[in-house]
Amino acid sequence: MMMTKQSLFHSALLTLYLIAPPTFISLTFLQAPYGKHHRPGWGPNLPPPLAWFLMESPTLWLTLILFPRGPHSSDPKAITVITPFLFHYFNRTILYPLRLLSTPSTKTASGFPLSVALIAFAFNALNSYVQTTSLSRYNHSADVSCFWCRFFLGLLVFLCGMWINVWADRVLLKLKSEGKGYVVPKGGLFEVVSCPNYFGEIVEWLGWAVMTWSWAGLGFFVYTFANLGPRARANHRWYLEKFGEDYPRKRKAVIPYLY
């Protein structure tokens, strides 16, 4: 029997929730081999700027293909909500790889396994389908006043998270551009967590869940924490092992004062 559009969407949405627990558990014990955790045995590598562009790209082109096909694609509310999603991924797909290209230590590096990039590509395709289809086809709010209250509250959270994410990425890239190797990041949220870039992204998608007020948005937030939480803990342990007593013990991994 041919799968209907609605059953396909529900299956994809369920998949988004089902892959979160195994992602959290597996990444608690085995880190994706890129960045600080790069190691051989995962096949051919790509330059990091190219890898980031390729694996994040479905969030732009697939969203722009699917969104106009939904019955609510011309609804101002749907257009308003999808805009922050595209804004984030324009930064992550286009601007962030360009910043990597302008950083000497990452421009020539080849430490991003193609296999990991393909896994991320598949997730981004799945998630873009779920988020875009939810907004343009199924998530239609008739209560305008509640919609705008949720949207502006979620947007405020989203923008705060994005600012933290972009700021932290720039701090880390600046340290790399100075050619000093790995050093202890300092200042701002780096004083309380080891990975404020991950914290910012988690906050972003919490805001997205509020903006969309949907199972799709909540699923993305849940998966984001399942993916970034364990990696932040691994980065935190890496810093502690590398810098020993020189690394501030009061810092948490990703959630200030908690986790």
Side-chain angles (χ1 to χ4, degrees):
M1 182 182 295
M2 183 176 294
M3 185 175 287
T4 65
K5 289 182 179 179
Q6 187 171 12
S7 60
L8 176 61
F9 170 73
H10 288 157
S11 296
L13 176 59
L14 180 61
T15 300
L16 185 62
Y17 279 92
L18 289 176
I19 62 177
T23 296
F24 183 87
I25 294 169
S26 61
L27 291 182
T28 298
F29 301 101
L30 179 66
Q31 284 306 307
Y34 67 91
K36 298 177 180 66
H37 308 285
H38 179 261
R39 55 191 180 276
W42 288 75
N45 293 315
L46 295 174
L50 177 60
W52 279 101
F53 172 76
L54 290 176
M55 68 186 185
E56 300 285 348
S57 64
T59 57
L60 292 182
W61 59 260
L62 187 57
T63 298
L64 293 174
I65 289 172
L66 292 176
F67 188 81
R69 297 170 182 262
H72 304 307
S73 60
S74 60
D75 188 322
K77 297 193 295 296
I79 295 171
T80 301
V81 176
I82 199 64
T83 299
F85 184 84
L86 290 169
F87 184 57
H88 169 91
Y89 280 111
F90 179 78
N91 172 68
R92 185 57 67 191
T93 306
I94 306 297
L95 300 183
Y96 183 68
L98 289 175
R99 287 195 290 269
L100 289 178
L101 278 173
S102 66
T103 305
S105 62
T106 59
K107 183 169 61 176
T108 57
S110 57
F112 206 114
L114 174 61
S115 57
V116 176
L118 291 176
I119 293 171
F121 180 94
F123 170 78
N124 282 320
L126 168 71
N127 187 55
S128 296
Y129 167 76
V130 169
Q131 304 305 320
T132 303
T133 304
S134 174
L135 280 175
S136 65
R137 185 170 293 276
Y138 301 114
N139 188 24
H140 182 63
S141 175
D143 190 335
V144 176
S145 59
C146 286
F147 168 82
W148 289 112
C149 288
R150 290 194 300 261
F151 172 76
F152 284 115
L153 175 61
L155 181 64
L156 178 62
V157 176
F158 181 93
L159 292 176
C160 287
M162 188 169 183
W163 184 87
I164 293 169
N165 178 254
V166 172
W167 168 80
D169 279 343
R170 287 181 174 174
V171 170
L172 294 172
L173 287 176
K174 185 173 186 253
L175 291 175
K176 289 182 180 179
S177 69
E178 293 172 353
K180 298 178 181 179
Y182 285 109
V183 298
V184 177
K186 296 180 180 179
L189 277 173
F190 280 107
E191 298 301 321
V192 290
V193 292
S194 294
C195 300
N197 50 334
Y198 295 164
F199 172 67
E201 191 151 352
I202 291 169
V203 170
E204 274 187 83
W205 300 121
L206 173 61
W208 172 256
V210 175
M211 274 192 284
T212 61
W213 207 249
S214 67
W215 288 110
L218 179 62
F220 188 18
F221 167 68
V222 169
Y223 183 85
T224 298
F225 183 81
N227 182 38
L228 297 183
R231 186 165 183 87
R233 291 291 296 270
N235 285 355
H236 184 67
R237 288 193 299 269
W238 185 91
Y239 278 120
L240 289 171
E241 292 169 3
K242 182 173 180 62
F243 297 106
E245 295 300 322
D246 293 329
Y247 196 73
R249 299 286 160 168
K250 65 180 181 180
R251 293 186 190 180
K252 296 296 185 180
V254 65
I255 306 297
Y257 311 110
L258 294 176
Y259 178 84

